[in-house]
Amino acid sequence: MVGSRNFLVPEILTALAGIDAGMVVAVSAADRELVTATSPIRIKVGPPLHTLLPMCDAIVHPGSSGTMLTAASAGVPQVIVPIFMDRAEIAQLVADSGAGVHVPLEAADTAHLGAG
């Protein structure tokens, strides 16, 4: 990510707090200290996504092409919350293909992310 201001993991975890599901948060070592969630989540530092995704029912991510393509190759549905304009286009393409949903940043709240 580009600075802690653009690191949305805490906000996304808050939005997902009401979901009855196990959650794994994959972060870089540099971002680990920014995740202070109190919900029962597992935090993995630096795992290769291709090894983690086969065990996942879905992925929430900011729309980087690498993450999008890795999730697509694993067949994992994607919830993309883009923080940069070029990633909004990626998110919309994924949504249009049926491989996931595009949640605009301004709509990334409990009502949108925590819904069924």
Side-chain angles (χ1 to χ4, degrees), residues 5 18 30 57 66 76 83-84 103 106 112:
R5 234 175 7 146
D57 292 324
V76 175
I83 58 173
F84 300 115
V103 178
E106 60 275 5
H112 288 89

Side-chain angles (χ1 to χ4, degrees), residues 11-108:
E11 289 85 353
I12 290 171
L13 289 173
T14 297
L16 297 174
I19 293 179
D20 183 23
M23 288 186 232
V24 176
V25 177
V27 295
S28 69
D31 289 335
R32 172 57 185 98
E33 68 186 44
L34 300 174
V35 181
T36 57
T38 57
S39 63
I41 61 169
R42 288 177 288 168
I43 299 171
K44 301 286 187 178
V45 177
L49 282 180
H50 73 277
T51 64
L52 185 61
L53 285 173
M55 298 176 280
C56 297
D57 292 324
I59 181 173
V60 179
H61 66 93
S64 72
S65 57
T67 300
M68 181 271 298
L69 290 169
T70 303
S73 73
V76 175
Q78 303 177 55
V79 177
I80 303 177
V81 183
I83 58 173
F84 300 115
M85 291 303 293
D86 63 328
R87 293 182 181 181
E89 185 174 349
I90 290 170
Q92 195 56 53
L93 290 169
V94 169
D96 291 346
S97 76
V101 295
H102 171 200
V103 178
L105 183 58
E106 60 275 5

